Amino acid sequence: GGFHQSIVSIEPLSHFIEQMTAHAPGPLPDALAAAVADARAGRPEAMLARLPTTGSEDVRVSFLRGVSYYASGNLNATLTQLQAVLRGRSDSFPAAVYIGACYAAAGKDLDAIGAWQTALLGESASPALYAVLADALLRVREADQAVAILDEGLAAFPQAEELRQRLGLAHAMAGHSDEAL
């Protein structure tokens, strides 16, 4: 769906990868650097071929593998990889972003909302994260909560036009006709 595109498109994906790779000391190993280059070129599903298949306890590998599985539509494999990331580093908010996307893809909006609200606690906020969270809140008819999230998102990212449009919709759904206009 739409959240799939918005969260694996180049800009948010690069942002979350940057957050994730910043957690580990030292430069990226060659295989990881090549995988990240694939993602930044808009081919996250191609990362799998470049990553070690086993034996790595590096949370960055599990994260990139998870995102690659997500981009190719394998939600079960995505969850397995990303849950391993969170077991290794409970503060890995980028992993929570894509776990939320898996839940949303499976129609589990409340679980997605929980994961995305957790992700917002970290420094991993991005306009795309606010957008997918607001969309999920609107799907479960939590329009007032969506308004609050979008207000917060626009305060952080005043140029984010996609958030402004959603805010109008959220106000309309919440019955705030003046604000909606």
Side-chain angles (χ1 to χ4, degrees):
F3 55 83
H4 174 84
Q5 280 324 100
S6 63
I7 223 150
V8 287
S9 61
I10 293 173
E11 205 173 304
L13 182 55
S14 293
H15 171 80
F16 296 125
I17 286 175
E18 201 116 318
Q19 298 272 317
M20 192 63 211
T21 53
H23 279 312
L28 279 180
D30 289 347
L32 289 193
V36 167
D38 282 335
R40 290 208 167 111
R43 296 187 311 275
E45 63 290 339
M47 289 192 293
L48 264 184
R50 299 192 186 271
L51 297 167
T53 47
T54 56
S56 177
E57 294 306 304
D58 188 331
V59 291
R60 297 172 302 180
V61 173
S62 299
F63 175 74
L64 294 173
R65 214 187 277 136
V67 170
S68 193
Y69 279 130
Y70 177 75
S72 51
N74 187 337
L75 300 182
N76 288 337
T78 303
L79 282 172
T80 300
Q81 294 297 320
L82 297 178
Q83 284 161 346
V85 172
L86 286 179
R87 277 195 300 277
R89 286 198 67 113
S90 59
D91 63 345
S92 177
F93 297 108
V97 171
Y98 290 92
I99 285 175
C102 280
Y103 289 143
K108 299 178 180 169
D109 281 319
L110 293 175
D111 292 331
I113 289 165
W116 288 331
Q117 285 174 326
T118 299
L120 276 183
L121 300 174
E123 72 288 16
S124 55
S126 81
L129 180 52
Y130 284 104
V132 293
L133 175 53
D135 290 349
L137 287 165
L138 291 174
R139 285 194 300 274
V140 298
R141 306 272 185 267
E142 290 288 350
D144 288 320
Q145 234 184 314
V147 166
I149 286 293
L150 290 164
D151 281 339
E152 192 182 309
L154 278 165
F157 302 99
Q159 308 309 316
E161 210 39 58
E162 71 274 23
L163 298 183
R164 199 169 309 287
Q165 291 164 352
R166 280 176 174 84
L167 183 58
L169 182 67
H171 274 304
M173 284 180 72
H176 312 151
S177 46
D178 293 348
E179 292 89 339
L181 290 175

